[in-house]
Amino acid sequence: TSRTGSYVKQLAARLQGQLKNFPQVDGIVPAAHTEGGTEQPNNLALLLRTLAGFIVNPNVGAVLIVDYGIESVTNQMVETYLREHNYPLDEVLHRFLSIKGGFQDNLNIGEAIVQDWLPTVNDMERTPESISNLKIGLQCGGSDAFSGISANPLLGWIAQELINYGGSASLAETDELIGAEPYVLKKVRDVETARKFLTFLEEFKERTSWHGANAEGNPSGGNKYRGLYNIYLKSIGAALKKDPSTRLDYAIDYGAPMKESGYYFMDSPGNDLESIAGQVASGCNLIFFTTGNGSITNFPFVPTVKVVTTTRRFELLANDMDVNAGQYLEGVSMDELGKQAFELSLQIASGQRSVGEKAGHSQVQIWRNWRQTDSSQLDILLHAPLPTGEPIAIQTDAAADPNPFRFTLTRHNGHRASDHIGLILPTSLCAGQVANMIALKLNKQGLGQPEHLSRFVALAHTEGCGNSAGQPEQLYARTMIGYITHPLVQHCLLLEHGCEKTHNDYMRHEMEEMGVDPSRLGFASIQLDGGIDKVTRKVETWFADQLSATGPTTKETVGLEALRIGILSDGSVTDADGEQLAKLTRMIAGEGGMVVIPENSGLLSKPAFRNNLFNASNVPPSLAYGEHARLTGCHIMETPTEHWVETVTGLAATGVELIIALVHNRPMQTHPFVPMLQMASEPAMQQTYPNDLDLLLTGNPAAWTNQILEASKQIIEHSYTPRLYQQGNIDFQLTRGFLGVSL
C-alpha cells in the first residue's frame, strides 16, 4: 500500500550503485503508489488484481513485496489472490517482506534481499523470441486535433500488424470512448464482448455521477486549447488507435490478464498513469503513447514509446519523443511510417532504450479509490459549507505567568521563518518527477546554500489532471496555494507539464481569486519550454536570478507567539497525553501563536484533551483541508480521509512550521519540508522504535510540555533533525476529498 511507498523508494535509491556491477539488470525501481492507505477501499478488487499483475509482468526479474501487516491490503491478501487466480507467482523470484521494528533496520534487510538476487537476475540473458510474445498498451495524453489523424491511426496500424504475428494490443481509457461506441463496435468478436464494452461505459458514467461529475469533464486545458473542446471530439480521435480493419476481441476489467492473442479493450479512467498501470498489470510489456502536446510520461519497468502528432512539436521536443507521426501529414504513407515505428518497437523490446528510459524518470499511479458508492450523500456533499477560517475559542490560563521559552528564527527580506527553502511545485502529476530531478540537481550544485536557502524541495504528487473538476479541483488549488504561501518557502516556481487541467494559467487565476500575488513566483513549462533539458536550464536561471537579489539575513529571538505548529495522533491517546497536549496548545495559542489539529486526530475524541481545551463540546473545523491559516490561534482542519500522509499533506499546507506527532501504532512517514517531531508515551513503542522516535515521554507527565518545547526548539533552530526524515521515510499525497473521482 501507500504506507510502504517511501520505504521502497528509499530502498531503490540505496541500491542504484549496484547496477554498475550487473550490466544485464536494466534497473532497480520502486513501484510506490497512493492506494490501500484507508480502511475498506472501494477499489480493493482492482488493487489486488493490479498488484498481482505487476508482480508477474514479464519485464520483472525479481520482486520484493512490502507491507507492515496492518493495512487494508496486506502481503497475505496479495499472495492469496495470486494463488487463487492462478498467477504464475512461482516463476518469478519474489519475497514478501513485512516491516517489523525500525525503518533503518528494515532497509538493511531489504537491501540484503535484493543484493542476493542481483547475480541471478544478471544471468537472465536475452534470447530471440517470437513477436507473438509482445503485448502492447495503447495510450494517448496531451491530445490535439491531429491525434486522430496521424498518431492514433499509426498505433492502430502497429496494433494490427502485431496481431497478425500473434501478439496482443490493449486499448483503454473508458470515458475517452464515449461517443465513439459505433466505431469501436463496428467489428467485434461477439455480442457478449459488445455488451461488456457498453456495460463498462455505463458503469463509468454512473460512478462519476455519484461524485457530481461526468465524462464531459475529461478534456484538459491542453486538449481544449488545441481543438478538442468536448469529450466526443476527443473520443473520435482516441478510438482510431483501433484500425477500421481490426476486430475488438475482448473487453476486460482493469488489470485483468490478457491470455490470448488479439485486440483488447480494458476498462480504465482517462487518467494516463492510472490507465497505464492497469495495462501493465494485464501483461503489457511495451507501451505506445501518442501525444499532441508532448507528454513525457514513463513507467518504471515497461518501456514507453512516445509518438508525437506533428513535426513542429517533435522538433520542439526532439530529446523527449521517439516517433514523429507528423511525417504522415507531410506525405509519408501510413504503411511506410508504420513499418518504421514497428521496427523501432522491436528494437526497444530487444533492449534498446527509449528516450524516456534515457531520461531516467517514471511514475506509477493505480486507479485511485473513489469514496461514493451511490448518490445518497451527493446533495449534502455538494452544498457543504466551508469553514470560516476564524480561530476556535479555547480555555485560557489567566493566572499563568508568561512562558519563558525562547528560540531563534531567521529574517530574510522581511520574511521571518525557521527555514528557507526553494520550492518547485509541479502543477500536475506528469510534471512531478521532472520537478524531483531538477531539485536534486540544484541541491547537488548547492545553489544559494546555505546563505539564502537550506535546500530545494519538489512536491511530486498524483493530481491536477485526469480527475474530476468542481469541488475536488478547488480543494486541490487551495492546498497548492497553501504551499505557495507557506512561511518556510522563500522562493517558489510552478512547473507545469503543459497540457494538464491545472496548468500555470489556471493556477495564476486561482491565486488572483484567493488574493495571492503571482508576480513573485516563477513559471516554467516542460512542453512549451522545449523539453526536460531546456526547462531545467530555465528553472536554474530563475532561481539564480532570485537568489542574486536576496538581501542579508538577520537572527531574531522570539517566544511562543511565533510558533506555528500542527499536532496530530494516529490512534488511541492516554489521559496524560491529552492533558499535556491540551496544556501545550493553551500555552502557544494563548501567547499569540498558532496550533492546527486535524479533524481525524484521536486527540479530539479524548475528553482529557477536549475538555481541557475547548469551551464547547461540539467544535466544528475552522479550516478547510489545506487552507492557509490567515489568523493565529487554535484551529481544527477538515480531513476527508483517515489517511496519514493525506492528513499531513493538508496540515502542512495550513502554514505550520513544525508538526508534533503522537504515535501509537508505529512511527509514520514524514513531510518533505515541514519537520515532524515523532514522540510516544507507551513503553512498548519506545522499546520497539528507539531509533525512529524523536522524543520518549517518560516520568512525570507534568514535565512533558517542557520536554516537547525543548525538542521543538532544537528542530526549529536546526541543531537536531528528526530521525525518520534523515532516514528518508518521507511521503506526500494530496487527498481528492469526498467527491474526487478519476476521469
Side-chain angles (χ1 to χ4, degrees), residues 240-482:
L240 288 170
K241 292 192 287 290
K242 174 182 173 291
D243 190 85
S245 66
T246 299
R247 183 182 70 180
L248 176 64
D249 294 307
Y250 306 100
I252 62 173
D253 288 312
Y254 182 91
M258 299 163 63
K259 296 179 179 179
E260 307 292 339
S261 170
Y263 195 92
Y264 287 75
F265 167 77
M266 184 198 74
D267 184 32
S268 77
N271 184 307
D272 301 329
L273 292 176
E274 295 183 20
S275 185
I276 287 170
Q279 291 176 317
V280 170
S282 289
C284 290
N285 42 20
L286 196 62
I287 302 294
F288 278 86
F289 194 106
T290 69
T291 177
N293 293 54
S295 296
I296 54 144
T297 302
N298 297 292
F299 193 83
F301 57 87
V302 175
T304 302
V305 181
K306 284 184 278 280
V307 182
V308 72
T309 61
T310 62
T311 298
R312 182 178 178 183
R313 184 62 58 158
F314 181 82
E315 291 172 347
L316 179 66
L317 299 161
N319 293 329
D320 301 294
M321 299 291 117
D322 294 280
V323 176
N324 176 18
Q327 295 175 80
Y328 176 71
L329 305 175
E330 296 157 359
V332 176
S333 71
M334 188 58 72
D335 285 342
E336 182 179 348
L337 188 58
K339 290 173 184 176
Q340 294 174 12
F342 192 75
E343 179 58 34
L344 175 63
S345 70
L346 298 185
Q347 292 172 8
I348 290 174
S350 300
Q352 177 179 311
R353 295 174 75 79
S354 67
V355 294
E357 290 178 286
K358 293 175 185 176
H361 69 88
S362 59
Q363 285 176 280
V364 177
Q365 177 58 29
I366 298 172
W367 193 344
R368 284 200 70 172
N369 188 41
W370 52 89
R371 298 299 305 278
Q372 307 305 317
T373 56
D374 57 37
S375 60
S376 61
Q377 300 298 310
L378 180 58
D379 190 61
I380 295 172
L381 293 171
L382 284 173
H383 298 97
L386 285 173
T388 63
E390 296 289 329
I392 298 166
I394 62 171
Q395 300 176 26
T396 58
D397 299 324
D401 294 328
N403 189 283
F405 178 82
R406 293 291 181 270
F407 58 101
T408 302
L409 296 181
T410 302
R411 183 173 288 276
H412 233 160
N413 287 2
H415 179 82
R416 188 180 71 182
S418 58
D419 201 357
H420 295 85
I421 69 164
L423 180 63
I424 304 173
L425 191 59
T427 63
S428 69
L429 67 171
C430 290
Q433 295 310 313
V434 176
N436 274 340
M437 292 167 63
I438 297 173
L440 181 62
K441 183 176 181 181
L442 293 176
N443 282 326
K444 284 184 176 179
Q445 293 174 356
L447 184 64
Q449 302 170 37
E451 297 86 358
H452 302 303
L453 295 175
S454 66
R455 64 203 182 282
F456 288 90
V457 177
L459 296 180
H461 57 83
T462 62
E463 302 309 301
C465 206
N467 51 279
S468 50
Q471 190 184 101
E473 208 162 79
Q474 289 302 307
L475 180 156
Y476 167 80
R478 183 173 64 239
T479 308
M480 293 282 281
I481 291 171

Side-chain angles (χ1 to χ4, degrees), residues 23-46:
Q24 302 307 315
V25 178
D26 293 307
I28 301 171
V29 299
H33 58 87
T34 61
E35 298 311 288
T38 59
E39 298 299 323
Q40 300 178 327
N42 290 319
N43 65 346
L44 177 60
L46 73 82

Side-chain angles (χ1 to χ4, degrees), residues 62 91 147-148 267 277 295 297 317 335 395 487 490 494 533 544 649 652 729-730:
E91 294 181 17
S147 292
D267 184 32
S295 296
T297 302
L317 299 161
D335 285 342
Q395 300 176 26
Q490 179 71 21
L494 274 65
D533 291 340
T649 297
N729 194 5
I730 301 165

Side-chain angles (χ1 to χ4, degrees), residues 88-106:
L89 175 61
D90 294 327
E91 294 181 17
V92 61
L93 279 171
H94 69 276
R95 178 156 169 190
F96 292 93
L97 173 66
S98 289
I99 297 177
K100 307 293 182 186
F103 191 75
Q104 184 67 42
D105 292 339
N106 281 277

Side-chain angles (χ1 to χ4, degrees), residues 705-719:
T705 300
N706 285 338
Q707 292 176 26
I708 295 169
L709 285 174
E710 182 55 38
S712 300
K713 173 182 170 70
Q714 293 176 20
I715 293 172
I716 289 168
E717 295 183 346
H718 306 286
S719 62

Side-chain angles (χ1 to χ4, degrees), residues 193-205:
T193 301
R195 284 177 176 160
K196 193 169 184 181
F197 169 76
L198 293 173
T199 298
F200 283 141
L201 269 65
E202 291 306 311
E203 289 175 346
F204 196 101
K205 293 175 185 177

